């Protein structure tokens, strides 16, 4: 009877350890809530953009965020995209002063 109870206890602790290990390894990886999978081809109005994020996976992209919180993904290779990023960076540095 004692051997039976010990076996159940060991199985229980192995189960707890396994769940804790799996949960920790998955939970410790940062995950984006929104990720670019396709890119817009339209040029955006720079005045409506408030920030951006660079992304390389699953596609190389710049994710612009508008005043209304809309996220739009575009190719970083376009000239207007680099210009918009510079303008947003300038706004950030003048706000910090």
């Amino acid at each position: 009877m004692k051997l039976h109870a010990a076996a159940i206890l060991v199985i229980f602790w192995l189960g707890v350890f396994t769940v804790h290990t799996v949960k920790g390894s998955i939970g410790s990886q940062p995950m984006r809530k929104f990720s670019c999978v396709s890119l817009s081809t339209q040029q955006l109005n720079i005045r409506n953009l408030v920030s951006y994020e660079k992304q390389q996976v699953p596609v190389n992209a710049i994710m612009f965020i508008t005043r209304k919180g809309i996220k739009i993904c575009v190719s970083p290779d376009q000239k207007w995209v680099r210009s918009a990023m510079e303008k947003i960076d300038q706004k950030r540095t003048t706000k910090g002063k």
Side-chain angles (χ1 to χ4, degrees), residues 40-46 49 62 64 72-87:
S40 173
T41 57
Q42 291 184 328
Q43 183 172 342
L44 306 174
N45 187 340
I46 294 175
L49 305 176
I62 300 297
F64 282 116
I72 304 166
C73 300
V74 296
S75 171
D77 300 327
Q78 300 177 61
K79 186 177 179 180
W80 74 267
V81 172
R82 292 187 295 273
S83 176
M85 291 167 58
E86 289 173 7
K87 186 150 183 125

Side-chain angles (χ1 to χ4, degrees), residues 4-42:
H4 181 68
I8 291 174
L9 189 59
V10 168
I11 291 170
F12 170 76
W13 283 113
L14 283 174
V16 169
F17 178 75
T18 303
V19 169
H20 179 71
T21 303
V22 170
K23 183 178 178 185
S25 63
I26 292 171
S28 62
Q29 297 175 2
M31 297 293 290
R32 289 181 180 244
K33 291 182 180 177
F34 183 84
S35 183
C36 299
V37 291
S38 63
L39 305 177
S40 173
T41 57
Q42 291 184 328

